[in-house]
Amino acid sequence: DAKTTQPPSMDCAEGRAANLPCNHSTISGNEYVYWYRQIHSQGPQYIIHGLKNNETNEMASLIITEDRKSSTLILPHATLRDTAVYYCIVHKIQGAQKLVFGQGTRLTINP
Amino acid sequence: GAVVSQHPSWVICKSGTSVKIECRSLDFQATTMFWYRQFPKQSLMLMATSNEGSKATYEQGVEKDKFLINHASLTLSTLTVTSAHPEDSSFYICSARDQGRREGGEQFFGPGTRLTVL
């Protein structure tokens, strides 16, 4: 699976949109972009995933660039409960299906 | 989303004893489950892939005789830490993929089990 690069930490004000970037310049055509987050001392929580089209669900939006070499996770109205480590993972859906976690971005939402 | 449970949520044991951790998919079937370990302030490290009805596949550097995995049904996988030592103290997390969902699928994670070996 392709490697991803994320900033180690970010801050965002409560109520504002949080935009978390991820670079995956070596992504291949059959790899999806997945986002998970982990709140302290809990298991990771699935947020969203996509292949090439932008995606939106009740939690977030995922914007993937046309060349698919980078993406942005958008939390439209961040709350204090969104404080967590956010992981961007590039992953093939065929084969071993295992997810390999990088270091992620520690997002802190400030009141 | 789908629910994955783990039991126990935390356990304290003496050095040299064995500890079993259960991972269950509550509302879906999973032919494959995954076991991760997480040390403080570090990311999740994949330990092994648990396959229903067959042997687990271990990641490089993970001792298969120390971390016994059994996936006896489509909703249950167990991880047994044998002869646990203080260095095995960690946060153990399982996940399962709901293969009935949309293409690409999501993996759902359990809440984790915190193991402390004295």
Side-chain angles (χ1 to χ4, degrees):
Chain A
D1 292 339
K3 184 179 178 181
T4 62
T5 303
Q6 298 178 251
S9 63
M10 291 182 63
D11 284 84
C12 179
E14 187 179 18
R16 304 297 293 270
N19 297 284
L20 292 90
C22 179
N23 286 321
H24 30 80
S25 58
T26 60
I27 192 171
S28 59
N30 62 348
E31 289 181 316
Y32 285 70
V33 180
Y34 286 78
W35 283 84
Y36 286 80
R37 72 180 182 184
Q38 186 179 27
I39 296 170
H40 183 62
S41 294
Q42 298 183 24
Q45 177 188 23
Y46 166 82
I47 301 174
I48 199 167
H49 76 278
L51 183 61
K52 53 183 178 180
N53 297 321
N54 297 337
E55 302 285 346
T56 295
N57 63 21
E58 64 277 5
M59 289 184 67
S61 294
L62 173 60
I63 308 299
I64 303 174
T65 58
E66 194 169 341
D67 63 6
R68 302 210 320 126
K69 292 185 177 182
S70 66
S71 60
T72 301
L73 178 74
I74 301 173
L75 307 179
H77 304 286
T79 70
L80 299 178
R81 288 178 292 182
D82 292 321
T83 292
V85 178
Y86 286 76
Y87 296 99
C88 168
I89 301 170
V90 172
H91 177 62
K92 293 185 182 69
I93 61 168
Q94 298 90 2
Q97 303 173 5
K98 58 186 181 182
L99 296 175
V100 178
F101 285 77
Q103 295 305 307
T105 296
R106 183 172 296 277
L107 175 67
T108 302
I109 306 301
N110 301 305
Chain B
V3 179
V4 175
S5 70
Q6 281 184 242
H7 178 80
S9 56
W10 60 271
V11 57
I12 302 173
C13 70
K14 293 182 179 180
S15 185
T17 60
S18 295
V19 175
K20 179 184 285 188
I21 302 170
E22 293 185 348
C23 176
R24 294 181 186 272
S25 56
L26 297 185
D27 50 2
F28 66 98
Q29 294 184 331
T31 56
T32 304
M33 292 183 176
F34 303 89
W35 287 96
Y36 294 81
R37 179 168 52 179
Q38 186 175 32
F39 294 107
K41 297 186 178 181
Q42 294 186 21
S43 186
L44 285 78
M45 290 178 50
L46 180 66
M47 299 175 65
T49 302
S50 171
N51 304 299
E52 188 266 337
S54 65
K55 291 183 179 181
T57 304
Y58 291 82
E59 295 300 302
Q60 190 172 10
V62 178
E63 299 175 58
K64 62 180 181 180
D65 295 329
K66 180 168 184 62
F67 299 100
L68 301 179
I69 292 173
N70 183 278
H71 194 154
S73 77
L74 288 173
T75 59
L76 173 65
S77 175
T78 61
L79 168 68
T80 301
V81 183
T82 62
S83 186
H85 289 93
E87 57 265 30
D88 298 321
S89 298
S90 188
F91 193 49
Y92 291 86
I93 308 168
C94 72
S95 73
R97 181 168 175 262
D98 184 354
Q99 293 159 296
R101 287 179 175 254
R102 58 173 277 233
E103 184 183 60
E106 305 99 312
Q107 279 194 24
F108 295 95
F109 287 78
T113 296
R114 187 161 302 283
L115 170 63
T116 302
V117 184
L118 302 177

